[in-house]
Amino acid sequence: MEESLKYMFAGYSVIWIIIFALVFSIGKRQGDLKKEIDELRRIAEEK
Amino acid sequence: MRKLITNIVGAVSMVLFVIAFYMAFLFAPTEQTMGHVQRIFYFHVSFAWVSFIAFFVTFAASIVYLKTRKRFWDIVAASSVELGIAFCCIILTTGPIWARPVWGAFWTWDPRLVTTLILLFIYMAYLMLRGAIDEETKRAKFSAVLGIIGFLDVPIVYRSVDWWSRTIHPNVIKKGNIALHPNMLMSLRVALLAVTLFYFFLLFRRIRLEELRDEVKELRKKILKEH
């Protein structure tokens, strides 16, 4: 029974790690692009 | 408006995730032969189904793109592939973890496992193809073709347990009937709904990401022109 629990824990850990990595990656890329857009808009306005 | 819908879908999916976890751990009974490890089933199956949905969205969006040549459909197809791949990775890691105590091995060259691995490789090739072509229209056209052809593997994955008799992969859905305890079935349904909504939440965010990329390109062009 303990062996079974160990594998269940490992399985759910993998699910959470991949979910967090996915959400974090999309959020990070979106944040970086928003910053870049602000910067580019500022440069365009200055010109 | 789209942002609001995205946030609502995200919030609902999170609530459903909490309920689904509660149901998977406490509401569903412990399977008699496999024990607790069987609880992986609720999310393993849900992510498998939703990865099929993700690849179907790519398939449909690719067809629409080839007909209309509208950039939006190329964005939808590419965004959905990325999510489908992530979900496929979940299936191909949770499956072996579940298999180890039950089958005695992490991996067997079972038709269901092999066809799923091929599915992952096809869509990884899709992303590699996109990365290799700079010209936007050409990239969209070629990847749309691959998005359509690649989907042919999905029905093969689904029917592999019926077509190859030597499979040891369990098939709980036989001729439309699901052989499960009612509480297990209810837990599976909630998990499936949570993962489906989570997919759409991520898809909307991923589409927005590509739109922001396009905005950056446009702004850069505008600045270079003025310069």
Side-chain angles (χ1 to χ4, degrees), chain B residues 7-40:
Chain B
N7 289 340
I8 291 171
V9 171
V12 174
S13 80
M14 283 304 121
V15 172
L16 282 172
F17 254 106
V18 174
I19 298 170
F21 274 112
Y22 166 80
M23 291 179 86
F25 288 112
L26 300 166
F27 180 71
T30 309
E31 213 273 342
Q32 284 176 349
T33 38
M34 291 186 266
H36 289 294
V37 74
Q38 183 271 343
R39 293 183 200 279
I40 289 176

Side-chain angles (χ1 to χ4, degrees), chain B:
Chain B
M1 185 63 183
R2 201 163 77 184
K3 195 178 175 186
L4 180 71
I5 294 171
T6 307
N7 289 340
I8 291 171
V9 171
V12 174
S13 80
M14 283 304 121
V15 172
L16 282 172
F17 254 106
V18 174
I19 298 170
F21 274 112
Y22 166 80
M23 291 179 86
F25 288 112
L26 300 166
F27 180 71
T30 309
E31 213 273 342
Q32 284 176 349
T33 38
M34 291 186 266
H36 289 294
V37 74
Q38 183 271 343
R39 293 183 200 279
I40 289 176
F41 161 81
Y42 306 103
F43 285 91
H44 175 79
V45 173
S46 301
F47 277 107
W49 270 101
V50 179
S51 72
F52 289 170
I53 293 174
F55 296 134
F56 175 75
V57 168
T58 300
F59 168 75
S62 299
I63 291 173
V64 179
Y65 173 78
L66 289 178
K67 274 198 164 187
T68 61
R69 303 285 163 146
K70 280 188 180 159
R71 164 97 176 114
F72 175 75
W73 295 109
D74 177 48
I75 291 177
V76 173
S79 304
S80 198
V81 163
E82 198 178 288
L83 302 177
I85 285 178
F87 293 170
C88 229
C89 289
I90 289 180
I91 309 163
L92 286 169
T93 42
T94 55
I97 290 170
W98 180 11
R100 179 67 184 86
V102 180
W103 296 346
F106 282 110
W107 185 266
T108 64
W109 295 101
D110 182 273
R112 171 61 67 87
L113 276 67
V114 175
T115 49
T116 309
L117 188 64
I118 292 169
L119 189 70
L120 177 71
F121 288 158
I122 289 171
Y123 287 100
M124 279 168 86
Y126 176 100
L127 288 189
M128 284 160 77
L129 179 77
R130 288 189 75 85
I133 305 172
D134 285 333
E135 213 262 294
E136 202 173 274
T137 328
K138 207 173 166 185
R139 181 179 61 211
K141 201 167 68 184
F142 285 172
S143 42
V145 172
L146 186 55
I148 294 165
I149 296 170
F151 186 74
L152 292 176
D153 191 40
V154 171
I156 297 174
V157 175
Y158 180 68
R159 296 301 303 276
S160 59
V161 283
D162 302 320
W163 290 346
W164 283 277
S165 54
R166 63 178 185 85
T167 184
I168 53 166
H169 193 283
N171 187 17
V172 288
I173 305 167
K174 281 173 191 156
K175 290 175 185 165
N177 293 319
I178 304 177
L180 275 180
H181 184 282
N183 288 9
M184 287 180 173
L185 184 60
M186 182 77 91
S187 307
L188 176 65
R189 281 183 177 150
V190 175
L192 185 59
L193 187 61
V195 177
T196 307
L197 287 179
F198 181 63
Y199 159 71
F200 283 107
F201 164 69
L202 290 179
L203 182 66
F204 295 151
R205 299 255 340 235
R206 189 61 187 72
I207 290 170
R208 179 78 189 119
L209 182 75
E210 285 302 318
E211 287 172 345
L212 287 173
R213 262 189 201 145
D214 285 355
E215 212 176 316
V216 167
K217 267 188 212 161
E218 284 304 312
L219 277 168
R220 276 188 185 153
K221 267 188 207 164
K222 195 179 152 192
I223 291 168
L224 282 172
K225 249 187 208 171
E226 282 172 5
H227 202 64

